[in-house]
Structures are given as C-alpha cells and as structure tokens.
Amino acid sequence: MQGLRWVQMNDEEMDEFLGRGGTGVISFATPDDEPPASIPVSYGYNATDRTFYFNLSSPAERREVGLVEEPVSFVVHGQSDSGWRSVVATGRLADVSELPYTSDAIQGMWAIEIPIVDVFDRPRREITFQHYRLVPESVSGRKEVSTDD
C-alpha cells in the first residue's frame, strides 16, 4: 500500500518552487481576538537575498490599511508533478515606495517579476499601490512525498 507524508524542503527547493514570482496569501496580525486579515496577492521573489516584494493597494475602507505595520505571514502553495508544496514566510513588511532608485531594496525589485492580477472594480491606472518588501524572520517549506507501506 502506498502512503503520503510531508517532508521539509531545503533552501534550493524552496527557491525553485517560489521562482521569481507568483501568487499567495498574506495575513496580517490583528489586535485582540479578531481573526487575521488575509488577502490573496501577487508577489515577486529574489532568491539571491531571499526577499519577497509586493505591490499592495490600500483602499481607505479596508481594514488592512491599519495593519501593514503588524507582523505578517505569507503562504504560497501549489501542486507539481511530484505532489503538493507550500512555503510559509513570516516577518514584517517594510514600505519601499519612497526609497531612492539606487537603494538595495529598489535594485532587488528589478530582479523579480510581480504578476499582474487584475481583481479590482476599476482600471489599475486609477488605483494607488504601495511597494513593500518582506525580509522574512522565518521561512519554511514542505512537500508531499510518496512512501511504500
């Protein structure tokens, strides 16, 4: 009988899985007993410095506006030919919108691809985006493997 189990991915496997960008879910910590604020987002990933980049829109009426300074977790998951994989990164976002062009953060953004996912109720040109990066405090990845019982 064949079974399934999870094992940890090493750094190279996580880098390969994350690629240069894709989509995932970012969750912001909230005060007291409120559930986390979780939203699907597109991201860019720079494997050289193991940094994630996000272009986030912040309509004034959304509760995430006041949460960008709180701790976050970011999850990417998907299925490959060999089974399910997931990566979880935690830390705090840093706003890089106003940094000079020559800064390491802005230069790091040039090495990535943030997919454009159009889920807005108006044209993108009418939406204000802030640029953030996440240098994770922790990153872990798991993958599915087959076992013979």
Side-chain angles (χ1 to χ4, degrees), residues 94-106 133:
D95 188 342
V96 298
S97 300
E98 302 298 322
L99 292 178
Y101 173 78
T102 56
S103 71
D104 289 343
I106 299 301
R133 86 175 169 166

Side-chain angles (χ1 to χ4, degrees), residues 24-65:
V25 175
I26 193 165
S27 297
F28 299 88
T30 55
D32 304 320
D33 293 331
E34 291 183 43
S38 300
I39 55 173
V41 296
S42 54
Y43 73 93
Y45 179 69
N46 186 332
T48 303
D49 58 8
R50 304 203 60 158
T51 301
F52 295 88
Y53 292 90
F54 306 95
N55 293 329
L56 302 179
S57 67
S58 301
E61 67 275 4
R62 296 209 29 195
R63 72 178 181 148
E64 292 88 2
V65 170

Side-chain angles (χ1 to χ4, degrees), residues 60-116:
E61 67 275 4
R62 296 209 29 195
R63 72 178 181 148
E64 292 88 2
V65 170
L67 299 175
V68 294
E69 295 181 4
E70 298 297 326
V72 299
S73 63
F74 178 60
V75 179
V76 178
H77 61 89
Q79 187 165 356
S80 68
D81 293 339
S82 57
W84 286 97
R85 295 174 183 254
S86 65
V87 171
V88 177
T90 62
R92 290 183 181 269
L93 295 178
D95 188 342
V96 298
S97 300
E98 302 298 322
L99 292 178
Y101 173 78
T102 56
S103 71
D104 289 343
I106 299 301
Q107 293 299 310
M109 288 184 76
W110 288 102
I112 52 108
E113 294 177 11
I114 300 177
I116 295 174

Side-chain angles (χ1 to χ4, degrees), residues 6-24:
W6 291 96
V7 296
Q8 293 294 124
M9 286 194 284
N10 62 37
D11 290 348
E12 293 78 25
E13 290 172 315
M14 287 189 287
D15 290 344
E16 179 183 336
F17 173 68
L18 293 168
R20 292 182 61 204
T23 58

